[in-house]
Amino acid sequence: MQPDTSADAFDLDAARLALEEALRPLAARARRHETACGAGRMVWHEWGAGPPLVLLHGGSGSWRHWARTIPALAERWRVIAADLPGLGESEAPPRPEAPEEIAAILSGGLDSLLGGACYRLAGFSFGGLMAGLLARRDVARLDGLVLVGAVGLGQPYEPPALRGVLGQPRARQMAIHRDNLATLMIADPARIDPAALAMQDWHTWRTRFRSGAFAGTTLLRDAILDLPVPLGGIWGARDTTARPDVPARLAQIRAWRPDARLQTIPGAGHWVMWEAPQAFNAALAGLLEPGFP
């Protein structure tokens, strides 16, 4: 059955309630932390116990990007999920806003949270780019890096045209959110549920740092070329950020890093951990476990 795309289907209040209901058990179990972000504060959420695993979300996002993955990870790991500076609940980074400066803020925050302990790291989309820069800074205490639909690899990138919601009536905003999710994030429109719509709305109005300008750079490629830590990667087979050819994207990474363990999730788009959580969680678990002491 195709989803209802009429204006009446996009009830913002109902979608927000659906998101709140979906996140309430997870948020209630979280331990919230704040660390320095220039003159402001950066927010982190933590679940579980065990070896530390740090998660970095995508651009115009928050820790909520990982909401369907965190419960499974928290059974095995001490999961620490960031709200990157200028996104989610975290305050904006100092100007000029540059990924390298954000990596320094992340490293300092993890000094406070981990006290020098080693950790594993996974980053989604722009968070993958940031994970590479953070890994370069923290290489002495990093046990492994997993990229998820990462950008900043220096390969051809044509950003999809997304539509703005400013000034639009509420019902129309939700229709635009659905179109934007289908354009960039989720390959199967039937999987765009009310919680995903409300999350897109929540993220959109809390974005104070625009990460898109860095997607076509070589920042991540340069960071991982000779990074002496295990490297893994997961892409949705229909990821729009890896157009026109996801296998070619992965082949290029293997050319740079023959040791990289890369996987694709059939049928899934860019936000692969939301669209195909069971397959993604299994793939991520397999990439995190090898070499665990």
Side-chain angles (χ1 to χ4, degrees), residues 90-288:
S90 292
E91 296 181 57
R95 294 182 180 276
E97 299 170 334
E100 295 87 346
E101 296 303 319
I102 294 176
I105 292 170
L106 293 172
S107 181
L110 290 173
D111 284 342
S112 298
L113 297 176
L114 298 179
C118 293
Y119 66 94
R120 283 175 170 78
L121 176 62
F124 165 55
S125 193
F126 174 69
L129 185 160
M130 290 308 313
L133 296 179
L134 175 59
R136 177 63 63 185
R137 292 185 64 93
D138 276 10
V139 63
R141 59 175 177 171
L142 193 68
D143 287 334
L145 170 64
V146 178
L147 307 174
V148 181
V151 297
L153 291 163
Q155 295 158 319
Y157 177 68
E158 298 179 6
L162 303 180
R163 300 161 60 200
V165 297
L166 185 64
Q168 297 288 339
R170 292 208 311 174
R172 188 60 185 153
Q173 287 179 23
M174 297 306 285
I176 293 171
H177 287 322
R178 177 181 286 277
D179 288 345
N180 287 342
L181 283 169
T183 297
L184 176 62
M185 299 289 274
I186 296 177
D188 182 355
R191 295 175 178 169
I192 302 175
D193 58 10
L197 287 165
M199 196 181 302
Q200 180 78 0
D201 180 71
W202 196 94
H203 286 152
T204 296
W205 295 109
R206 287 163 177 80
T207 296
R208 287 138 291 137
F209 174 77
R210 303 294 175 180
S211 61
F214 304 103
T217 68
T218 64
L219 286 169
L220 177 57
R221 183 197 70 185
D222 297 342
I224 65 173
L225 280 177
D226 58 353
L227 189 70
V229 300
L231 177 66
I234 303 172
W235 268 257
R238 298 172 62 188
D239 188 334
T240 57
T241 70
R243 290 183 302 187
D245 189 340
V246 174
R249 173 72 50 99
L250 272 58
Q252 184 61 69
I253 296 171
R254 290 189 180 99
W256 301 328
R257 287 287 304 264
D259 61 313
R261 301 174 65 241
L262 308 176
Q263 300 185 38
T264 57
I265 305 297
H270 185 51
W271 193 9
V272 57
M273 61 276 216
W274 182 270
E275 187 170 8
Q278 291 184 330
F280 175 83
N281 293 347
L284 182 59
L287 293 175
L288 290 171

